[in-house]
Amino acid sequence: MSSQPSPADGTSGTDATSGAGASGPGATSGAGASDAAEASTPLPAADTSTVLVVNSGSSSLKFQLLDPVSETVFASGLVERIGQDDASARLSVGDAYAPYNGEVSDHVAAMKLVSRLFEDAGLSLADAHVVAVGHRVVQGGARFSEPTLIDSWVRDQIADLGKLAPLHNPAAVDGIDAARTLLPDIPHVAVFDTAFFTQLPEASRTYALNKSIAAEYRIRRYGAHGTSHRYVSQQVASMLAAEGADTTQLRQIVLHLGNGASASAVRGGRPIDTSMGLTPLEGLVMGTRTGDIDPSVYAHLHRSAGMSVDEIDTVLNKRSGMQGLSGMSDFRDITAAIDNGDQDAELAMQVYVHRLRKYIGSYAFALGGLDAITFTAGIGENVPQVRERALAGLEGFGIVLDTRRNAERSKDARVISADDSAVRVLVVPTDEELAIAQQSLELARSRKG
């Protein structure tokens, strides 16, 4: 596998690794170029088809160049503080490292910088055999259920869906515009976080809200992290099929536990439920988000505290969750604080796990039984205490964790349940960049065919 284990704070593997060896303040791309000249840079072979994956935020742009077939990552990096004169960027290509500090005016400038950093590191995008650019788009609404080739109409639809994801889709459009400007002759593909969950049954995706209001304002459960849930659930099915299991109706729960966290129930490869809803606020307790909460809290805080809707939204999304309960959102800090007797951290962990167990139990019933539970993302992959607490005392339901296997650190997908556990428990590293690249390559090839 090409993925790296995500850190316990829930950031992605790209975030965790792209800054390795970063130069201090004042580093320039020229410094990176000299470093790159001395390092051995793996280059894509002439018969290799690579995909450039772009994940554009409002003030950042993450990217990765990889071969979706061999799962080889040739380069990865990040541009931060776009729109500011103290922006920074870093690119890792094998042993080569190309940094930058300075002004990056907008996303077009960021993409031009990315191209320059590739050249500084000895790998020009023009010579990298790029056959597609895959864009992560958070919100696809009910319109986009599959990876989609981006043209002007699709671009405008993504912009319009920004009404449902105002923090994410406008930034994705900026990244799309910038990348299409830089690489106009290469197919650009949108891969939607919500696409996997467009398959949700109507009863699962529908809120018990006045149906006229729901229809007018497109209010339904869209879910999130769908690319990860799809990828991980497919990996689990492949692993169990290789052991001889019949996976045609495999009943599994996937727990994507990062700073943002979500759960899904998947039967036979199709989702039947997920924890996030209209927005990523619903569901599990997260790093700074409440997860499930009585909607009347909005009215109560407005009337009692005089808070505006935007102020309340900020509290629920950015000042709550583990951060709001304990003053910490990084699980490395939280587990250390618990070991030192911090009662706020202990309570926060209990609240977090209680919510997890509620979802595991309800999804097991919704699935009509359970064959596998899988932990993934930064916390799911790297915090054995969460896995142990979440599944403690469930032997009567056929869930038996192997303590030794659970405690082992590994980058690999693995089973951590006991041999006599009726339900398999697994840790499977997610790789959203690989999933986006594979889907983008498939669509690009079908377009040529």
Side-chain angles (χ1 to χ4, degrees), residues 71-269:
E71 303 182 9
T72 301
V73 176
F74 293 105
S76 62
L78 171 68
V79 183
E80 297 180 286
R81 295 192 292 278
I82 295 172
Q84 301 180 33
D85 57 12
D86 61 343
S88 65
R90 50 189 182 267
L91 168 71
S92 297
V93 182
D95 296 329
Y97 180 75
Y100 170 85
N101 279 274
E103 181 182 1
V104 179
S105 58
D106 54 26
H107 284 74
V108 172
M111 281 301 306
K112 289 179 179 177
L113 174 60
V114 168
S115 178
R116 192 174 100 204
L117 291 177
F118 269 97
E119 293 179 358
D120 287 349
L123 176 58
S124 169
L125 282 176
D127 301 323
H129 312 294
V130 179
V131 298
V133 180
H135 296 266
R136 181 195 179 213
V137 180
V138 167
Q139 180 58 263
R143 303 173 194 172
F144 298 106
S145 59
E146 298 290 342
T148 303
L149 195 67
I150 298 173
D151 56 19
S152 296
W153 182 85
V154 171
R155 181 260 183 215
D156 290 344
Q157 293 299 303
I158 294 171
D160 180 64
L161 287 165
K163 297 169 186 174
L164 296 174
L167 299 179
H168 299 97
N169 274 37
V173 171
D174 287 340
I176 288 168
D177 290 346
R180 291 178 77 197
T181 298
L182 181 68
L183 301 168
D185 300 323
I186 295 174
H188 290 251
V189 178
V191 178
F192 299 91
D193 270 14
T194 51
F196 186 53
F197 296 120
T198 59
Q199 305 175 67
L200 287 176
E202 192 169 9
S204 175
R205 68 174 183 252
T206 302
Y207 287 114
L209 177 69
N210 179 284
K211 66 179 184 180
S212 297
I213 293 174
E216 182 176 357
Y217 297 101
R218 295 182 287 186
I219 299 173
R220 52 159 284 183
R221 303 184 67 251
Y222 293 103
H225 298 143
T227 302
S228 176
H229 284 280
R230 176 186 180 189
Y231 174 81
V232 171
S233 61
Q234 289 176 340
Q235 293 294 306
V236 171
S238 296
M239 288 175 65
L240 298 185
E243 297 177 358
D246 180 1
T247 60
T248 54
Q249 290 299 315
L250 182 69
R251 302 163 300 181
Q252 57 174 311
I253 295 171
V254 176
L255 301 170
H256 177 108
L257 308 180
N259 194 47
S262 59
S264 67
V266 182
R267 183 194 296 123

